[in-house]
Amino acid sequence: MVRINGENLEVVGKSVAEYLNSAGYDLRRVAVELNGDIVPKAQYADTVFKYGDNVEVVSFVGGG
């Protein structure tokens, strides 16, 4: 299991990019923290979730 934004999900073995795409996130408007470290966007495709990972995905929204 991987804990993403407080929810346990079965995404072990998926890359960050795969998860974000399947969950409908706009890759240009998110930041991903994996186990306390920010994942650079250039590494989304190469960063694979492992059992026990803790992830926070933050979406940026415009407005004023």
Side-chain angles (χ1 to χ4, degrees):
M1 292 293 229
V2 175
R3 191 163 186 83
I4 299 178
N5 291 350
E7 184 178 350
N8 289 326
L9 300 173
E10 291 282 349
V11 294
V12 172
K14 277 192 177 184
S15 71
V16 171
E18 288 172 320
Y19 167 73
L20 293 173
N21 284 324
S22 70
Y25 285 101
D26 180 349
L27 298 182
R28 299 168 297 173
R29 302 184 71 77
V30 297
V32 177
E33 180 184 285
L34 174 63
N35 299 323
D37 296 317
I38 298 296
V39 179
K41 289 187 188 301
Q43 294 179 9
Y44 283 3
D46 298 323
T47 303
V48 177
F49 293 127
K50 297 176 207 66
Y51 185 84
D53 280 343
N54 190 24
V55 181
E56 291 293 326
V57 179
V58 179
S59 295
F60 301 104
V61 291

